[in-house]
Short mmCIF file of all heavy atoms in Angstrom, two decimals:
data_model
loop_
_atom_site.label_atom_id
_atom_site.label_comp_id
_atom_site.label_asym_id
_atom_site.label_seq_id
_atom_site.Cartn_x
_atom_site.Cartn_y
_atom_site.Cartn_z
N MET A 1 79.66 92.59 96.76
CA MET A 1 81.05 92.92 96.58
C MET A 1 81.42 92.63 95.11
O MET A 1 81.01 91.64 94.53
CB MET A 1 81.91 92.08 97.49
CG MET A 1 83.38 92.41 97.38
SD MET A 1 84.30 91.54 98.67
CE MET A 1 85.60 90.87 97.70
N ILE A 2 82.18 93.51 94.56
CA ILE A 2 82.64 93.35 93.18
C ILE A 2 84.02 92.69 93.19
O ILE A 2 84.90 93.08 93.94
CB ILE A 2 82.73 94.72 92.47
CG1 ILE A 2 81.32 95.36 92.46
CG2 ILE A 2 83.30 94.59 91.08
CD1 ILE A 2 81.34 96.79 92.07
N THR A 3 84.16 91.64 92.39
CA THR A 3 85.43 90.93 92.32
C THR A 3 86.20 91.36 91.10
O THR A 3 85.63 91.35 89.98
CB THR A 3 85.20 89.41 92.26
OG1 THR A 3 84.42 89.03 93.39
CG2 THR A 3 86.49 88.65 92.27
N PHE A 4 87.42 91.75 91.27
CA PHE A 4 88.27 92.19 90.17
C PHE A 4 89.17 91.05 89.74
O PHE A 4 89.42 90.11 90.49
CB PHE A 4 89.12 93.38 90.59
CG PHE A 4 88.31 94.62 90.84
CD1 PHE A 4 87.85 94.93 92.09
CD2 PHE A 4 87.98 95.44 89.78
CE1 PHE A 4 87.10 96.06 92.31
CE2 PHE A 4 87.23 96.58 89.98
CZ PHE A 4 86.79 96.89 91.25
N PRO A 5 89.70 91.12 88.53
CA PRO A 5 90.64 90.08 88.07
C PRO A 5 91.84 89.98 89.03
O PRO A 5 92.17 90.95 89.71
CB PRO A 5 91.12 90.60 86.71
CG PRO A 5 90.07 91.53 86.27
CD PRO A 5 89.48 92.13 87.52
N ALA A 6 92.46 88.82 89.09
CA ALA A 6 93.59 88.59 90.01
C ALA A 6 94.70 89.61 89.82
O ALA A 6 95.32 90.04 90.79
CB ALA A 6 94.11 87.17 89.82
N SER A 7 94.94 90.03 88.59
CA SER A 7 96.00 91.00 88.35
C SER A 7 95.73 92.33 89.04
O SER A 7 96.64 93.02 89.45
CB SER A 7 96.19 91.23 86.85
OG SER A 7 94.97 91.68 86.28
N CYS A 8 94.45 92.68 89.19
CA CYS A 8 94.10 93.92 89.87
C CYS A 8 94.12 93.74 91.39
O CYS A 8 94.54 94.64 92.11
CB CYS A 8 92.70 94.39 89.44
SG CYS A 8 92.58 94.81 87.72
N ARG A 9 93.66 92.61 91.85
CA ARG A 9 93.60 92.38 93.30
C ARG A 9 94.98 92.41 93.92
O ARG A 9 95.15 92.82 95.06
CB ARG A 9 92.91 91.05 93.60
CG ARG A 9 91.43 91.07 93.32
CD ARG A 9 90.71 89.85 93.90
NE ARG A 9 91.24 88.60 93.42
CZ ARG A 9 90.77 87.93 92.37
NH1 ARG A 9 89.75 88.41 91.69
NH2 ARG A 9 91.27 86.77 92.02
N ALA A 10 95.98 91.99 93.15
CA ALA A 10 97.34 91.96 93.70
C ALA A 10 97.89 93.36 93.94
O ALA A 10 98.77 93.55 94.76
CB ALA A 10 98.26 91.22 92.73
N ILE A 11 97.33 94.36 93.27
CA ILE A 11 97.81 95.72 93.37
C ILE A 11 97.28 96.40 94.63
O ILE A 11 97.99 97.15 95.29
CB ILE A 11 97.42 96.52 92.13
CG1 ILE A 11 98.13 95.94 90.91
CG2 ILE A 11 97.73 97.99 92.29
CD1 ILE A 11 97.66 96.45 89.59
N GLY A 12 96.05 96.16 94.98
CA GLY A 12 95.46 96.79 96.15
C GLY A 12 93.97 97.00 96.00
O GLY A 12 93.31 96.29 95.27
N ASP A 13 93.46 98.01 96.70
CA ASP A 13 92.02 98.26 96.72
C ASP A 13 91.60 99.12 95.54
O ASP A 13 92.40 99.86 94.96
CB ASP A 13 91.64 99.01 98.01
CG ASP A 13 91.86 98.14 99.24
OD1 ASP A 13 91.73 96.91 99.12
OD2 ASP A 13 92.18 98.70 100.30
N ALA A 14 90.34 99.03 95.20
CA ALA A 14 89.76 99.86 94.14
C ALA A 14 88.38 100.28 94.57
O ALA A 14 87.73 99.61 95.38
CB ALA A 14 89.68 99.08 92.83
N VAL A 15 87.93 101.39 94.06
CA VAL A 15 86.58 101.90 94.36
C VAL A 15 85.81 101.97 93.06
O VAL A 15 86.29 102.53 92.08
CB VAL A 15 86.65 103.29 95.02
CG1 VAL A 15 85.26 103.84 95.22
CG2 VAL A 15 87.43 103.24 96.32
N VAL A 16 84.63 101.35 93.05
CA VAL A 16 83.73 101.46 91.91
C VAL A 16 82.52 102.23 92.38
O VAL A 16 81.83 101.80 93.30
CB VAL A 16 83.33 100.07 91.38
CG1 VAL A 16 82.28 100.21 90.27
CG2 VAL A 16 84.54 99.31 90.91
N ARG A 17 82.27 103.37 91.80
CA ARG A 17 81.12 104.19 92.18
C ARG A 17 79.95 103.82 91.26
O ARG A 17 79.89 104.30 90.12
CB ARG A 17 81.46 105.67 92.07
CG ARG A 17 82.48 106.09 93.08
CD ARG A 17 82.72 107.59 93.03
NE ARG A 17 83.75 107.95 93.98
CZ ARG A 17 85.02 108.15 93.66
NH1 ARG A 17 85.42 108.01 92.42
NH2 ARG A 17 85.91 108.45 94.58
N LYS A 18 79.07 102.94 91.78
CA LYS A 18 77.92 102.53 91.00
C LYS A 18 77.12 103.75 90.59
O LYS A 18 76.95 104.69 91.36
CB LYS A 18 77.03 101.59 91.78
CG LYS A 18 77.66 100.24 92.05
CD LYS A 18 76.69 99.36 92.79
CE LYS A 18 77.30 98.05 93.12
NZ LYS A 18 76.37 97.19 93.88
N GLY A 19 76.67 103.76 89.34
CA GLY A 19 75.89 104.88 88.86
C GLY A 19 76.72 106.01 88.29
O GLY A 19 76.19 107.01 87.83
N SER A 20 78.04 105.88 88.31
CA SER A 20 78.88 106.95 87.76
C SER A 20 79.07 106.78 86.27
O SER A 20 79.74 107.59 85.63
CB SER A 20 80.24 107.01 88.48
OG SER A 20 80.96 105.80 88.29
N TRP A 21 78.50 105.75 85.68
CA TRP A 21 78.47 105.55 84.23
C TRP A 21 77.08 105.02 83.89
O TRP A 21 76.37 104.51 84.74
CB TRP A 21 79.57 104.57 83.78
CG TRP A 21 79.31 103.17 84.19
CD1 TRP A 21 78.73 102.17 83.42
CD2 TRP A 21 79.55 102.55 85.45
NE1 TRP A 21 78.62 101.00 84.13
CE2 TRP A 21 79.11 101.22 85.40
CE3 TRP A 21 80.09 103.00 86.64
CZ2 TRP A 21 79.20 100.34 86.46
CZ3 TRP A 21 80.17 102.13 87.71
CH2 TRP A 21 79.74 100.82 87.61
N GLU A 22 76.73 105.15 82.64
CA GLU A 22 75.43 104.67 82.21
C GLU A 22 75.50 103.17 81.94
O GLU A 22 76.32 102.71 81.13
CB GLU A 22 75.00 105.39 80.94
CG GLU A 22 73.60 105.07 80.51
CD GLU A 22 73.15 105.88 79.32
OE1 GLU A 22 73.62 107.04 79.16
OE2 GLU A 22 72.33 105.36 78.54
N GLU A 23 74.68 102.43 82.66
CA GLU A 23 74.66 100.97 82.47
C GLU A 23 73.97 100.66 81.15
O GLU A 23 72.82 101.06 80.93
CB GLU A 23 73.90 100.33 83.62
CG GLU A 23 73.77 98.83 83.52
CD GLU A 23 72.91 98.23 84.62
OE1 GLU A 23 73.07 98.65 85.79
OE2 GLU A 23 72.09 97.36 84.31
N PRO A 24 74.65 99.97 80.26
CA PRO A 24 74.02 99.59 79.00
C PRO A 24 72.77 98.74 79.22
O PRO A 24 72.76 97.87 80.10
CB PRO A 24 75.11 98.78 78.27
CG PRO A 24 76.39 99.29 78.84
CD PRO A 24 76.06 99.56 80.28
N PRO A 25 71.71 99.00 78.46
CA PRO A 25 70.42 98.30 78.66
C PRO A 25 70.54 96.79 78.57
O PRO A 25 69.73 96.07 79.15
CB PRO A 25 69.55 98.85 77.53
CG PRO A 25 70.17 100.15 77.13
CD PRO A 25 71.62 100.02 77.42
N ILE A 26 71.54 96.25 77.85
CA ILE A 26 71.67 94.81 77.74
C ILE A 26 71.78 94.14 79.11
O ILE A 26 71.33 93.00 79.30
CB ILE A 26 72.86 94.42 76.80
CG1 ILE A 26 72.87 92.93 76.53
CG2 ILE A 26 74.18 94.86 77.40
CD1 ILE A 26 71.72 92.41 75.73
N PHE A 27 72.37 94.82 80.06
CA PHE A 27 72.56 94.23 81.38
C PHE A 27 71.24 94.10 82.14
O PHE A 27 71.04 93.17 82.89
CB PHE A 27 73.61 94.98 82.20
CG PHE A 27 74.98 94.89 81.57
CD1 PHE A 27 75.56 96.00 81.00
CD2 PHE A 27 75.64 93.68 81.48
CE1 PHE A 27 76.81 95.91 80.40
CE2 PHE A 27 76.87 93.59 80.89
CZ PHE A 27 77.46 94.70 80.33
N GLN A 28 70.34 95.06 81.92
CA GLN A 28 69.01 94.94 82.50
C GLN A 28 68.28 93.72 81.94
O GLN A 28 67.62 92.99 82.66
CB GLN A 28 68.21 96.21 82.25
CG GLN A 28 68.81 97.43 82.93
CD GLN A 28 68.19 98.73 82.45
OE1 GLN A 28 67.19 98.73 81.73
NE2 GLN A 28 68.79 99.83 82.83
N LEU A 29 68.46 93.52 80.64
CA LEU A 29 67.84 92.38 79.97
C LEU A 29 68.42 91.05 80.47
O LEU A 29 67.68 90.11 80.81
CB LEU A 29 68.02 92.49 78.46
CG LEU A 29 67.39 91.39 77.61
CD1 LEU A 29 65.87 91.44 77.73
CD2 LEU A 29 67.81 91.53 76.16
N ILE A 30 69.75 90.98 80.58
CA ILE A 30 70.39 89.75 81.07
C ILE A 30 69.95 89.47 82.50
O ILE A 30 69.65 88.32 82.87
CB ILE A 30 71.93 89.88 80.99
CG1 ILE A 30 72.39 89.95 79.55
CG2 ILE A 30 72.62 88.73 81.74
CD1 ILE A 30 73.85 90.33 79.36
N ARG A 31 69.88 90.52 83.33
CA ARG A 31 69.47 90.36 84.73
C ARG A 31 68.03 89.84 84.78
O ARG A 31 67.74 88.89 85.51
CB ARG A 31 69.59 91.70 85.46
CG ARG A 31 69.27 91.61 86.93
CD ARG A 31 69.32 92.97 87.62
NE ARG A 31 70.64 93.58 87.59
CZ ARG A 31 70.93 94.75 87.03
NH1 ARG A 31 69.99 95.46 86.44
NH2 ARG A 31 72.14 95.21 87.06
N ALA A 32 67.15 90.46 84.02
CA ALA A 32 65.71 90.13 84.09
C ALA A 32 65.41 88.76 83.46
O ALA A 32 64.70 87.93 84.04
CB ALA A 32 64.90 91.21 83.40
N LYS A 33 65.90 88.53 82.25
CA LYS A 33 65.54 87.31 81.52
C LYS A 33 66.39 86.11 81.92
O LYS A 33 65.94 84.99 81.84
CB LYS A 33 65.68 87.54 80.00
CG LYS A 33 64.80 88.62 79.46
CD LYS A 33 63.34 88.23 79.50
CE LYS A 33 62.48 89.29 78.84
NZ LYS A 33 61.06 89.02 78.92
N GLY A 34 67.63 86.38 82.31
CA GLY A 34 68.54 85.28 82.62
C GLY A 34 68.67 84.97 84.09
O GLY A 34 69.32 84.00 84.49
N GLY A 35 68.08 85.83 84.92
CA GLY A 35 68.17 85.61 86.36
C GLY A 35 69.59 85.72 86.89
O GLY A 35 69.95 85.10 87.87
N VAL A 36 70.38 86.53 86.22
CA VAL A 36 71.79 86.72 86.62
C VAL A 36 71.86 87.84 87.65
O VAL A 36 71.33 88.93 87.42
CB VAL A 36 72.66 87.05 85.38
CG1 VAL A 36 74.11 87.23 85.80
CG2 VAL A 36 72.52 85.97 84.33
N ASP A 37 72.50 87.58 88.77
CA ASP A 37 72.56 88.62 89.80
C ASP A 37 73.64 89.65 89.48
O ASP A 37 74.51 89.44 88.63
CB ASP A 37 72.72 88.04 91.20
CG ASP A 37 74.08 87.38 91.44
OD1 ASP A 37 75.01 87.57 90.65
OD2 ASP A 37 74.19 86.66 92.45
N GLU A 38 73.55 90.78 90.14
CA GLU A 38 74.43 91.91 89.86
C GLU A 38 75.90 91.58 90.06
O GLU A 38 76.74 91.97 89.24
CB GLU A 38 74.04 93.09 90.74
CG GLU A 38 74.82 94.35 90.40
CD GLU A 38 74.35 95.53 91.21
OE1 GLU A 38 74.73 95.64 92.38
OE2 GLU A 38 73.60 96.37 90.64
N ALA A 39 76.23 90.85 91.10
CA ALA A 39 77.63 90.50 91.37
C ALA A 39 78.24 89.75 90.17
O ALA A 39 79.37 90.00 89.75
CB ALA A 39 77.76 89.68 92.64
N GLU A 40 77.45 88.82 89.61
CA GLU A 40 77.96 88.05 88.47
C GLU A 40 78.08 88.94 87.23
O GLU A 40 79.01 88.78 86.43
CB GLU A 40 77.05 86.85 88.18
CG GLU A 40 77.64 85.94 87.13
CD GLU A 40 76.89 84.63 87.01
OE1 GLU A 40 75.92 84.38 87.74
OE2 GLU A 40 77.29 83.83 86.13
N LEU A 41 77.16 89.86 87.06
CA LEU A 41 77.25 90.79 85.92
C LEU A 41 78.53 91.61 85.99
O LEU A 41 79.19 91.86 84.97
CB LEU A 41 76.02 91.70 85.86
CG LEU A 41 74.74 91.05 85.42
CD1 LEU A 41 73.54 92.00 85.60
CD2 LEU A 41 74.80 90.54 84.00
N TYR A 42 78.90 92.05 87.17
CA TYR A 42 80.14 92.78 87.33
C TYR A 42 81.36 91.90 87.05
O TYR A 42 82.27 92.27 86.35
CB TYR A 42 80.28 93.37 88.74
CG TYR A 42 79.61 94.71 88.90
CD1 TYR A 42 78.37 94.82 89.50
CD2 TYR A 42 80.24 95.87 88.45
CE1 TYR A 42 77.77 96.04 89.64
CE2 TYR A 42 79.64 97.11 88.60
CZ TYR A 42 78.40 97.18 89.20
OH TYR A 42 77.78 98.39 89.33
N GLN A 43 81.33 90.70 87.62
CA GLN A 43 82.46 89.81 87.50
C GLN A 43 82.67 89.31 86.07
O GLN A 43 83.79 89.29 85.56
CB GLN A 43 82.32 88.62 88.44
CG GLN A 43 83.54 87.74 88.48
CD GLN A 43 83.44 86.66 89.54
OE1 GLN A 43 82.37 86.39 90.04
NE2 GLN A 43 84.56 86.04 89.85
N VAL A 44 81.59 88.95 85.40
CA VAL A 44 81.71 88.34 84.07
C VAL A 44 81.77 89.40 82.97
O VAL A 44 82.55 89.29 82.04
CB VAL A 44 80.54 87.35 83.83
CG1 VAL A 44 80.58 86.83 82.41
CG2 VAL A 44 80.59 86.22 84.83
N PHE A 45 80.90 90.41 83.08
CA PHE A 45 80.72 91.36 81.99
C PHE A 45 81.28 92.75 82.27
O PHE A 45 81.21 93.63 81.43
CB PHE A 45 79.26 91.47 81.61
CG PHE A 45 78.67 90.19 81.14
CD1 PHE A 45 77.74 89.51 81.93
CD2 PHE A 45 79.01 89.67 79.90
CE1 PHE A 45 77.17 88.33 81.47
CE2 PHE A 45 78.44 88.48 79.44
CZ PHE A 45 77.52 87.81 80.23
N ASN A 46 81.75 92.99 83.49
CA ASN A 46 82.30 94.30 83.85
C ASN A 46 81.24 95.40 83.82
O ASN A 46 81.55 96.56 83.85
CB ASN A 46 83.48 94.65 82.95
CG ASN A 46 84.48 95.56 83.60
OD1 ASN A 46 84.49 95.72 84.81
ND2 ASN A 46 85.32 96.16 82.82
N MET A 47 79.96 95.01 83.72
CA MET A 47 78.81 95.90 83.76
C MET A 47 78.93 97.12 82.85
O MET A 47 78.41 98.20 83.14
CB MET A 47 78.52 96.37 85.18
CG MET A 47 77.75 95.38 85.99
SD MET A 47 76.13 95.03 85.35
CE MET A 47 75.15 96.11 86.33
N GLY A 48 79.65 96.97 81.76
CA GLY A 48 79.74 98.07 80.82
C GLY A 48 80.72 99.14 81.20
O GLY A 48 80.74 100.20 80.56
N ILE A 49 81.51 98.90 82.19
CA ILE A 49 82.49 99.89 82.62
C ILE A 49 83.46 100.18 81.49
O ILE A 49 83.86 101.32 81.25
CB ILE A 49 83.25 99.46 83.89
CG1 ILE A 49 82.29 99.43 85.08
CG2 ILE A 49 84.43 100.37 84.17
CD1 ILE A 49 82.90 98.82 86.34
N GLY A 50 83.83 99.16 80.76
CA GLY A 50 84.76 99.34 79.64
C GLY A 50 86.19 99.28 80.11
O GLY A 50 86.53 98.64 81.09
N MET A 51 87.02 100.01 79.41
CA MET A 51 88.47 99.99 79.71
C MET A 51 88.73 100.71 81.03
O MET A 51 88.12 101.72 81.34
CB MET A 51 89.25 100.69 78.60
CG MET A 51 90.74 100.65 78.81
SD MET A 51 91.65 101.50 77.53
CE MET A 51 91.37 100.43 76.14
N THR A 52 89.61 100.15 81.80
CA THR A 52 90.03 100.78 83.05
C THR A 52 91.53 100.99 83.03
O THR A 52 92.27 100.30 82.32
CB THR A 52 89.66 99.92 84.28
OG1 THR A 52 90.27 98.64 84.14
CG2 THR A 52 88.15 99.75 84.39
N LEU A 53 91.96 101.93 83.81
CA LEU A 53 93.37 102.24 83.96
C LEU A 53 93.70 102.23 85.43
O LEU A 53 93.03 102.90 86.21
CB LEU A 53 93.68 103.61 83.33
CG LEU A 53 95.12 104.07 83.42
CD1 LEU A 53 96.03 103.19 82.57
CD2 LEU A 53 95.20 105.51 82.94
N ILE A 54 94.69 101.49 85.80
CA ILE A 54 95.09 101.41 87.20
C ILE A 54 96.41 102.11 87.36
O ILE A 54 97.41 101.79 86.70
CB ILE A 54 95.21 99.94 87.64
CG1 ILE A 54 93.86 99.25 87.47
CG2 ILE A 54 95.71 99.84 89.08
CD1 ILE A 54 93.90 97.75 87.66
N VAL A 55 96.42 103.12 88.23
CA VAL A 55 97.63 103.90 88.50
C VAL A 55 97.80 104.06 89.99
O VAL A 55 96.84 103.94 90.75
CB VAL A 55 97.59 105.29 87.82
CG1 VAL A 55 97.50 105.17 86.31
CG2 VAL A 55 96.46 106.13 88.34
N ALA A 56 99.00 104.37 90.39
CA ALA A 56 99.27 104.65 91.81
C ALA A 56 98.50 105.89 92.22
O ALA A 56 98.32 106.82 91.42
CB ALA A 56 100.77 104.85 92.03
N GLY A 57 98.05 105.91 93.45
CA GLY A 57 97.25 107.04 93.93
C GLY A 57 97.93 108.37 93.75
O GLY A 57 97.28 109.36 93.38
N ASP A 58 99.24 108.42 93.96
CA ASP A 58 99.95 109.69 93.81
C ASP A 58 100.15 110.12 92.36
O ASP A 58 100.61 111.21 92.08
CB ASP A 58 101.29 109.66 94.55
CG ASP A 58 102.26 108.63 94.02
OD1 ASP A 58 101.81 107.65 93.39
OD2 ASP A 58 103.46 108.82 94.21
N LYS A 59 99.79 109.24 91.43
CA LYS A 59 99.92 109.55 89.99
C LYS A 59 98.55 109.80 89.34
O LYS A 59 98.49 110.10 88.15
CB LYS A 59 100.59 108.40 89.27
CG LYS A 59 101.95 108.01 89.79
CD LYS A 59 102.98 109.08 89.54
CE LYS A 59 104.33 108.59 90.01
NZ LYS A 59 105.28 109.62 90.22
N ALA A 60 97.46 109.69 90.11
CA ALA A 60 96.11 109.78 89.55
C ALA A 60 95.86 111.13 88.88
O ALA A 60 95.33 111.17 87.76
CB ALA A 60 95.07 109.52 90.64
N ASP A 61 96.21 112.23 89.52
CA ASP A 61 95.95 113.54 88.93
C ASP A 61 96.71 113.72 87.62
O ASP A 61 96.16 114.23 86.64
CB ASP A 61 96.31 114.66 89.91
CG ASP A 61 95.32 114.76 91.05
OD1 ASP A 61 94.15 114.33 90.89
OD2 ASP A 61 95.70 115.28 92.13
N ALA A 62 97.96 113.31 87.60
CA ALA A 62 98.76 113.43 86.38
C ALA A 62 98.18 112.55 85.28
O ALA A 62 98.12 112.96 84.12
CB ALA A 62 100.21 113.05 86.66
N ALA A 63 97.73 111.36 85.62
CA ALA A 63 97.14 110.47 84.62
C ALA A 63 95.86 111.07 84.04
O ALA A 63 95.64 111.04 82.84
CB ALA A 63 96.84 109.10 85.26
N LEU A 64 95.01 111.65 84.90
CA LEU A 64 93.79 112.28 84.41
C LEU A 64 94.09 113.47 83.53
O LEU A 64 93.44 113.66 82.50
CB LEU A 64 92.92 112.71 85.59
CG LEU A 64 92.16 111.59 86.29
CD1 LEU A 64 91.50 112.12 87.56
CD2 LEU A 64 91.13 110.99 85.38
N ARG A 65 95.08 114.27 83.89
CA ARG A 65 95.45 115.41 83.03
C ARG A 65 95.90 114.91 81.66
O ARG A 65 95.52 115.49 80.65
CB ARG A 65 96.57 116.24 83.71
CG ARG A 65 96.08 117.16 84.78
CD ARG A 65 97.13 118.18 85.19
NE ARG A 65 98.34 117.56 85.68
CZ ARG A 65 98.53 117.15 86.95
NH1 ARG A 65 97.58 117.33 87.84
NH2 ARG A 65 99.67 116.63 87.32
N TRP A 66 96.71 113.86 81.63
CA TRP A 66 97.20 113.33 80.38
C TRP A 66 96.04 112.81 79.51
O TRP A 66 95.96 113.10 78.32
CB TRP A 66 98.23 112.24 80.61
CG TRP A 66 98.79 111.72 79.33
CD1 TRP A 66 99.82 112.24 78.64
CD2 TRP A 66 98.30 110.58 78.59
NE1 TRP A 66 100.04 111.51 77.48
CE2 TRP A 66 99.11 110.47 77.43
CE3 TRP A 66 97.31 109.66 78.77
CZ2 TRP A 66 98.95 109.49 76.49
CZ3 TRP A 66 97.13 108.67 77.83
CH2 TRP A 66 97.95 108.58 76.70
N ILE A 67 95.13 112.05 80.12
CA ILE A 67 94.01 111.48 79.40
C ILE A 67 93.12 112.61 78.81
O ILE A 67 92.75 112.57 77.66
CB ILE A 67 93.15 110.57 80.32
CG1 ILE A 67 93.95 109.29 80.62
CG2 ILE A 67 91.80 110.25 79.69
CD1 ILE A 67 93.36 108.47 81.75
N ARG A 68 92.84 113.61 79.62
CA ARG A 68 91.98 114.71 79.16
C ARG A 68 92.63 115.54 78.06
O ARG A 68 91.93 116.16 77.27
CB ARG A 68 91.60 115.58 80.36
CG ARG A 68 90.62 114.84 81.28
CD ARG A 68 90.29 115.62 82.52
NE ARG A 68 89.34 114.89 83.32
CZ ARG A 68 89.33 114.88 84.64
NH1 ARG A 68 90.25 115.58 85.32
NH2 ARG A 68 88.42 114.18 85.30
N ALA A 69 93.95 115.54 78.01
CA ALA A 69 94.65 116.32 76.99
C ALA A 69 94.69 115.61 75.64
O ALA A 69 95.01 116.22 74.63
CB ALA A 69 96.11 116.59 77.46
N GLN A 70 94.37 114.32 75.63
CA GLN A 70 94.44 113.54 74.38
C GLN A 70 93.27 113.82 73.48
O GLN A 70 92.22 114.17 73.83
CB GLN A 70 94.53 112.05 74.69
CG GLN A 70 95.71 111.68 75.54
CD GLN A 70 97.05 112.20 75.03
OE1 GLN A 70 97.42 111.96 73.88
NE2 GLN A 70 97.78 112.91 75.85
#
C-alpha cells in the first residue's frame, strides 16, 4: 500500500498506476544496495512521480485540458 501525505489523505482516495511513468534508475540502486523496500521508496521518495495535482473528480477533465494547453 502506498501512503500519501496527511494533506492528501484528508481529501479522499487516490489511484497510483504503477508503471505509468518511468522509474528513475536511482530507485533501483537504492532498493538493491540499501535494502529499502518499495513501500518506503514511495513514502519517502515518491518513486520519481514528481509533482502531483489533486483535483475533484468532476474537475479532472477540465484540469487536464488546461494543463495540456499550457
